[in-house]
Amino acid sequence: MSILCPFPTSPAAPPPMEDDDLLSEILLRLPPQPSSLPRASAACKRWRCLVSDPAFIRRFRRHHRRNPPPLLGFFSQDAGGITFTPTMEPPNRVSPGRFTVLPEARVHSKLLACRHGLVLMFHQQLKRVLVWDPVTGDQRSRAVPHPLAFGTDKTPRGAVLRAAGDARHFRVVLASCDRPQQHTRAFACIYSSETGVWSDLISTPVPSEEYMTLSTMPAVLIGDSLYWAITGNWRAVLEFDLNRQSLTVIHLPVDKLACCKPWNITVMPAEGGGLGLLFMSGLSAQLWESNIDSDGVASWVLGRTIELDKLLSLNLKREKRFLMITGFAESNNVVFLRSVVGLFMVQLDSLQFKKISEITTGYWYHPFESIYAAGNSMHFTLRV
């Protein structure tokens, strides 16, 4: 005799790999390497439709934003214009042609900064800043504010960053040093794409009788502050607090940093957090940490010293002539070093290194750290 079930039975759940929602969650957790999504798309037509959906790509980038993004390469500028150089190995190596700046921007623009997958340029003729996302092709152009501070013949220093967890909006900070009268002052202002307006001009005195300027080395983001080195006959760091929108000049231990030049020092996060310095003393990299008291006065302590000639196997006298800091990737804690035998990148935690090229072009390198889904890049079109 058969027994009838008093309740209707629900249909059987589909196998996990046939459930699009569940499959999307699985694919979302693939490593954020350039080859991950192309490999997944090659599995079958259904997977290809899922991973090529713009909504999925946006979720993929948001999901991995909490971790350090891959260091895809760097942008640099020389007489020929702005170019991209990849640093990853196949199959994750991005072709240099995927991130191409069109001629009208390449010739007339000055490369200022890269951060959070965005590139910031300054159009010298039009006095406008250009923000470009090389992965999506999105770009914005805005007139430079406060012409007395930033619209002169000089090129301002700049930084670009996204708000935490916000892929749509970004902020641009412009900074400069000038000496309109007897004393040098530092200036800054900030633009928000969310409000579409620039802030009022912020300034602070630089306590030096000598003419000072901001280093052309890109700013470093530590916590909620941006830092530029101040160069000249007197050494300091300019801090821009993003939350308070204030400027502070922090003195450097010049008595401890012999032969301090713009190319042998950079701001970096300290190993214990907070403000740190990377200083090249000959062929040794010194990592300094700051302790800032309640009055805002910084004292500096030497942490680690890395013997780079031994690490990089520089043997000949010619090879040991000098090492020059040319860039710093803050999310991956990687420093770019130029020598007479080529360009190196060194990961300061693991001390793993890689020789990128035997030929070096440009002066500063702007590391490009971003989640990149291959096949979704576009060329940059200049709009003003």
Side-chain angles (χ1 to χ4, degrees):
M1 182 178 66
S2 62
I3 300 177
L4 298 177
C5 178
F7 302 104
T9 58
S10 58
M17 300 305 285
E18 295 181 9
D19 185 326
D20 281 356
D21 292 337
L22 182 56
L23 180 57
S24 293
E25 291 298 319
I26 295 173
L27 296 174
L28 197 65
R29 287 158 174 79
L30 288 172
Q33 303 296 330
S35 65
S36 292
L37 296 188
R39 285 179 165 180
S41 69
C44 62
K45 182 178 180 180
R46 179 165 158 261
W47 284 32
R48 183 164 58 252
C49 290
L50 285 175
V51 301
S52 61
D53 182 5
F56 174 84
I57 294 173
R58 288 193 295 270
R59 289 182 61 210
F60 186 79
R61 298 181 74 180
R62 284 198 305 268
H63 177 78
H64 291 287
R65 188 163 287 135
R66 69 195 71 173
N67 300 315
L71 175 54
L72 301 180
F74 60 85
F75 285 90
S76 60
Q77 186 168 21
D78 57 18
I82 300 171
T83 57
F84 173 76
T85 301
T87 56
M88 302 186 77
E89 297 294 335
N92 292 308
R93 188 176 182 85
V94 179
S95 169
R98 300 296 284 182
F99 302 147
T100 302
V101 182
L102 291 183
E104 59 263 38
R106 186 170 62 243
V107 173
H108 300 295
S109 295
K110 178 72 174 179
L111 180 61
L112 295 183
C114 293
R115 183 175 291 103
H116 298 164
L118 299 175
V119 177
L120 177 66
M121 293 174 279
F122 173 69
H123 197 290
Q124 295 172 309
Q125 290 186 345
L126 300 178
K127 304 300 182 185
R128 301 180 73 90
V129 289
L130 312 172
V131 178
W132 171 41
D133 184 335
V135 174
T136 66
D138 294 338
Q139 55 83 34
R140 303 279 185 89
S141 171
R142 291 294 180 268
V144 172
H146 312 297
L148 293 179
F150 305 114
T152 62
D153 292 336
K154 301 174 184 177
T155 299
R157 310 299 180 247
V160 62
L161 64 158
R162 299 183 194 267
D166 189 345
R168 296 177 302 165
H169 297 297
F170 61 87
R171 290 176 288 178
V172 171
V173 177
L174 295 181
S176 69
C177 274
D178 203 353
R179 195 174 188 180
Q181 297 176 353
Q182 288 185 330
H183 301 288
T184 302
R185 297 189 67 87
F187 300 92
C189 66
I190 184 169
Y191 169 83
S192 168
S193 68
E194 188 171 10
T195 62
V197 297
W198 290 93
S199 72
D200 293 334
L201 189 64
I202 305 158
S203 70
T204 191
V206 178
S208 173
E209 296 181 357
E210 303 291 338
Y211 179 80
M212 310 302 297
T213 186
L214 293 183
S215 171
T216 52
M217 182 81 171
V220 175
L221 177 66
I222 303 174
D224 294 320
S225 292
L226 289 161
Y227 296 89
W228 285 269
I230 299 177
T231 63
N233 295 327
W234 180 79
R235 299 295 178 191
V237 170
L238 180 68
E239 176 190 13
F240 180 78
D241 188 308
L242 293 161
N243 294 330
R244 298 178 181 177
Q245 295 194 15
S246 61
L247 288 169
T248 305
V249 175
I250 301 172
H251 294 245
L252 294 184
V254 291
D255 57 321
K256 301 177 181 178
L257 305 179
C259 299
C260 185
K261 303 295 182 182
W263 48 262
N264 69 355
I265 188 169
T266 183
V267 180
M268 63 171 290
E271 293 189 323
L275 177 61
L277 290 174
L278 174 63
F279 174 64
M280 293 297 305
S281 177
L283 298 176
S284 298
Q286 298 178 355
L287 279 62
W288 291 78
E289 301 177 3
S290 69
N291 297 311
I292 301 178
D293 62 22
S294 57
D295 296 325
V297 179
S299 60
W300 295 87
V301 178
L302 177 61
R304 284 193 297 148
T305 297
I306 305 170
E307 301 297 333
L308 288 169
D309 56 334
K310 298 176 182 177
L311 178 68
L312 304 178
S313 300
L314 302 178
N315 299 315
L316 300 177
K317 184 177 181 180
R318 180 179 67 90
E319 297 176 353
K320 295 183 178 183
R321 189 171 302 168
F322 79 100
L323 285 172
M324 173 181 175
I325 300 173
T326 55
F328 180 72
E330 58 197 27
S331 295
N332 288 272
N333 204 24
V334 169
V335 63
F336 289 81
L337 298 169
R338 176 192 292 175
S339 76
V340 296
V341 295
L343 178 65
F344 295 87
M345 50 187 287
V346 180
Q347 211 290 325
L348 294 173
D349 297 318
S350 65
L351 296 185
Q352 293 182 329
F353 70 93
K354 177 181 178 180
K355 186 175 182 180
I356 300 173
S357 171
E358 294 186 357
I359 301 175
T360 59
T361 58
Y363 194 68
W364 300 120
Y365 302 120
H366 298 257
F368 186 63
E369 302 167 288
S370 180
I371 307 296
Y372 172 62
N376 291 281
S377 65
M378 299 170 60
H379 288 295
F380 172 56
T381 302
L382 179 64
R383 291 203 307 259
V384 295

